[in-house]
């Protein structure tokens, strides 16, 4: 994103930052400790209309563009990564605005925008997440209804969301996307997973056992779901990168604060050259990741031919920055960094998943290499 354009979002970012400091960050430790959804942050986010940010006004949303989504996700994650993920999780349904029928848009999206319902998406399966097109969950039409069978693994908001966007096989080489409601016959949920981090965000299996839904619940063409999901993943990869960037920036903030307070050898540790070099390297990683992410958003908005490669570059750079900067920030806290008394311990645990989900960083590197060879 050009700097001038970014300037247009400065007030938006400042308002969000104040909101996060007041209504989100103060609850982050309790949410993590108690392993429960960030209810306080979710309730407060409603007053800003955040659940409806990417959706059109006609459906109750506020028509925020991708850059607004990225800034929102980043600022929320800076204060609480679980709250960021939970508040923005309904955005995975954005694709149905492009591909879904007017009826399905009206059914699903207005209550999501009003914060009365929550969304989730199910792509990953027990036999693998990296090989998305190896999905085995099936959807068969019996003339009037669709019947879905299969298990989706590691689904954020499973059991807690109302609407599930499910990726399922409709033929030997074709896939479709289906909207399943939590009260539909034949859907149930696995146990809540006990995770290293992101403990305020529920994760579980979605099990579809002869799950029967009306014909109108398919999104667009039931043979073109593979193509739709690749497009949807392009946007979500950028917001997931922003989530990681928020964690990286939040970790740097904590390191800056602590090193200017902690004294050793009669001076603050921020005065030691070895510490300053670490801070410089952390800042380098955060700013490089941010520049590439905003460039990737700009490319996406302009339909630039290099947009997909940049989305992968941004995902890797932002998540590697989150892991590296949070680890170094723990180091700069000394023994206190290892205690739950300081937020940096939680940030380091929360950071790890950002290198794994939404296409692991190894898979992103494969995509980057493929596109880089193709462009030479
Ligand atoms: C907390 C959490 C929340 C999640 N939320 C969701 C969600 O809401 N919806 C959803 O659909 N999924 C979700 N996921 C799933 C996540 O996207 C997958 O875990 C991820 O895509 C990796 O899939 P996998 O776990 O099956 O690993 P695998 O695909 O089995 O990979 C295992 C390892 O092998 C490597 N590998 C695999 N193939 C290759 C290759 N060709 N070349 C090099 N290395 C390779 C991987 O990079 C990885 O290191 C979530 C996961 C977690 C943990």
């Amino acid at each position: 994103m050009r700097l001038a354009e970014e300037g247009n979002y400065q007030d938006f970012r400042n308002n969000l930052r104040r909101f996060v400091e007041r209504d989100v960050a103060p609850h982050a430790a309790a949410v993590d400790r108690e392993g429960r959804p960030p209810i306080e942050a979710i309730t407060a986010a409603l007053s800003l209309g955040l659940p409806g940010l990417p959706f059109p006004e006609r459906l109750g949303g506020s028509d925020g563009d991708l850059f607004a989504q990225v800034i929102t996700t980043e600022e929320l994650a800076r204060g609480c990564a679980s709250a960021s993920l939970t508040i923005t999780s309904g955005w995975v349904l954005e694709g149905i605005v492009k591909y879904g029928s007017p009826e399905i848009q009206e059914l699903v999206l207005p209550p999501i925008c009003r914060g009365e319902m929550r969304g989730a998406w199910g792509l990953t399966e027990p036999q693998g997440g990296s090989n998305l097109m190896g999905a085995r969950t099936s959807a068969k039409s019996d003339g009037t209804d669709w019947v879905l069978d299969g298990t989706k693994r590691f689904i954020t908001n499973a059991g807690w969301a109302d609407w599930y966007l499910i990726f399922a096989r409709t033929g030997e080489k074709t896939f479709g996307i289906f909207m399943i409601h939590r009260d539909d016959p034949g859907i149930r949920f696995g146990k809540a997973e006990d995770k290293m981090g992101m403990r305020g965000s529920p994760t579980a299996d979605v099990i579809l056992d002869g799950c029967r839904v009306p014909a109108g619940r398919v999104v667009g063409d039931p043979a073109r779901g593979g193509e739709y999901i690749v497009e949807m993943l392009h946007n979500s990869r950028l917001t997931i990168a922003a989530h990681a960037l928020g964690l990286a920036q939040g970790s740097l903030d904590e390191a800056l604060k602590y090193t200017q307070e902690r004294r050793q050898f009669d001076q603050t540790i921020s005065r030691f050259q070895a510490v300053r070099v670490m801070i410089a390297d952390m800042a380098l990683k955060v700013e490089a990741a941010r520049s590439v992410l905003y460039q990737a958003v700009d490319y996406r908005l302009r339909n630039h031919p290099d947009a997909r490669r940049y989305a992968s570059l941004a995902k890797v750079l932002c998540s590697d920055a989150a892991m590296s900067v949070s680890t170094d920030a723990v180091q700069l806290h000394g023994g206190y960094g290892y205690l739950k008394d300081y937020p940096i311990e939680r940030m380091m645990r929360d950071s790890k998943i950002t290198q794994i989900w939404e296409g692991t960083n190894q898979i992103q590197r494969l995509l980057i290499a493929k596109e880089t060879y193709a462009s030479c």
Side-chain angles (χ1 to χ4, degrees):
M1 175 61 58
R2 306 270 173 271
L3 278 181
E5 284 174 80
E6 194 201 334
N8 297 336
Y9 292 89
Q10 199 53 52
D11 288 347
F12 180 67
R13 187 192 287 276
N14 290 343
N15 288 338
L16 274 167
R17 196 162 291 176
R18 279 193 290 276
F19 164 75
V20 170
E21 279 164 14
R22 191 188 60 224
D23 291 319
V24 178
H27 306 287
V31 161
D32 176 65
R33 189 173 55 246
E34 294 159 21
R36 56 149 176 104
I39 297 298
E40 301 88 345
I42 293 169
T43 309
L46 266 181
S47 64
L48 299 186
L50 296 185
L53 184 70
F55 299 107
E57 283 178 27
R58 68 181 163 83
L59 295 167
S62 46
D63 248 333
D65 69 10
L66 188 56
F67 198 58
Q69 295 172 47
V70 159
I71 292 176
T72 303
T73 311
E74 178 187 336
E75 290 299 328
L76 287 169
R78 192 172 178 174
C80 177
S82 286
S84 179
L85 188 71
T86 310
I87 290 167
T88 63
S89 55
W91 299 358
V92 295
L93 307 184
E94 194 187 353
I96 67 177
V97 175
K98 191 164 175 192
Y99 305 112
S101 64
E103 291 75 22
I104 209 158
Q105 292 177 24
E106 277 295 337
L107 178 69
V108 174
L109 296 178
I112 298 273
C113 293
R114 291 194 297 270
E116 294 163 4
M117 291 192 177
R118 285 177 278 269
W121 68 355
L123 318 180
T124 307
E125 300 192 355
Q127 77 279 359
S130 297
N131 182 11
L132 182 56
M133 300 304 165
R136 292 181 193 157
T137 295
S138 66
K140 294 190 176 120
S141 172
D142 69 359
T144 45
D145 294 339
W146 286 96
V147 182
L148 283 89
D149 284 283
T151 298
K152 294 293 179 181
R153 178 132 300 167
F154 298 136
I155 305 309
T156 298
N157 279 356
W160 202 58
D162 302 270
W163 283 107
Y164 297 82
L165 184 151
I166 299 289
F167 182 66
R169 190 174 285 277
T170 49
E172 202 184 327
K173 290 192 178 153
T174 57
F175 296 90
I177 286 172
F178 299 84
M179 293 309 304
I180 311 292
H181 189 269
R182 57 172 300 129
D183 295 335
D184 285 330
I187 182 171
R188 61 195 163 87
F189 305 99
K191 68 170 175 53
E193 302 295 357
D194 190 6
K195 306 194 297 292
M196 172 196 291
M198 299 300 297
R199 295 184 63 82
S201 161
T203 314
D205 281 359
V206 174
I207 302 152
L208 303 162
D209 190 2
C211 178
R212 179 175 286 274
V213 295
R217 294 279 198 85
V218 66
V219 176
D221 183 338
R224 292 178 60 197
E227 178 192 321
Y228 301 160
I229 208 77
V230 168
E231 274 297 301
M232 291 180 199
L233 277 165
H234 190 154
N235 275 17
S236 70
R237 196 156 283 159
L238 293 167
T239 51
I240 275 297
H243 178 266
L245 178 62
L247 270 164
Q249 180 67 61
S251 302
L252 177 57
D253 296 344
E254 291 302 321
L256 289 170
K257 194 161 77 184
Y258 188 81
T259 54
Q260 291 178 95
E261 286 165 2
R262 178 71 172 168
R263 294 181 71 83
Q264 288 295 316
F265 303 97
D266 297 326
Q267 54 186 338
T268 64
I269 60 172
S270 62
R271 297 187 68 86
F272 298 125
Q273 208 167 24
V275 169
R276 296 179 84 84
V277 170
M278 281 180 76
I279 292 286
D281 283 342
M282 291 156 80
L284 276 167
K285 286 174 187 166
V286 171
E287 296 307 339
R290 178 173 286 119
S291 296
V292 172
L293 173 60
Y294 293 175
Q295 185 68 68
V297 172
D298 180 50
Y299 278 0
R300 173 65 167 162
L301 290 172
R302 291 195 287 122
N303 243 336
H304 190 279
D306 216 6
R308 211 179 291 283
R309 188 172 73 110
Y310 262 74
S312 293
L313 289 169
K315 199 275 178 179
V316 171
L317 282 168
C318 290
S319 55
D320 283 355
M323 196 65 239
S324 160
V325 174
S326 62
T327 305
D328 283 351
V330 166
Q331 186 72 18
L332 288 173
H333 280 66
Y336 296 100
Y338 205 62
L339 307 185
K340 289 188 186 287
D341 303 21
Y342 286 84
I344 195 59
E345 177 269 350
R346 181 189 75 248
M347 290 173 162
M348 183 177 158
R349 283 186 288 108
D350 285 349
S351 290
K352 184 58 214 173
I353 187 61
T354 68
Q355 296 177 305
I356 296 172
W357 62 20
E358 211 71 16
T360 66
N361 283 8
Q362 292 103 307
I363 295 294
Q364 298 306 328
R365 284 182 166 89
L366 294 181
L367 295 171
I368 292 165
K370 186 175 163 201
E371 303 259 350
T372 304
Y373 273 118
S375 66
C376 70

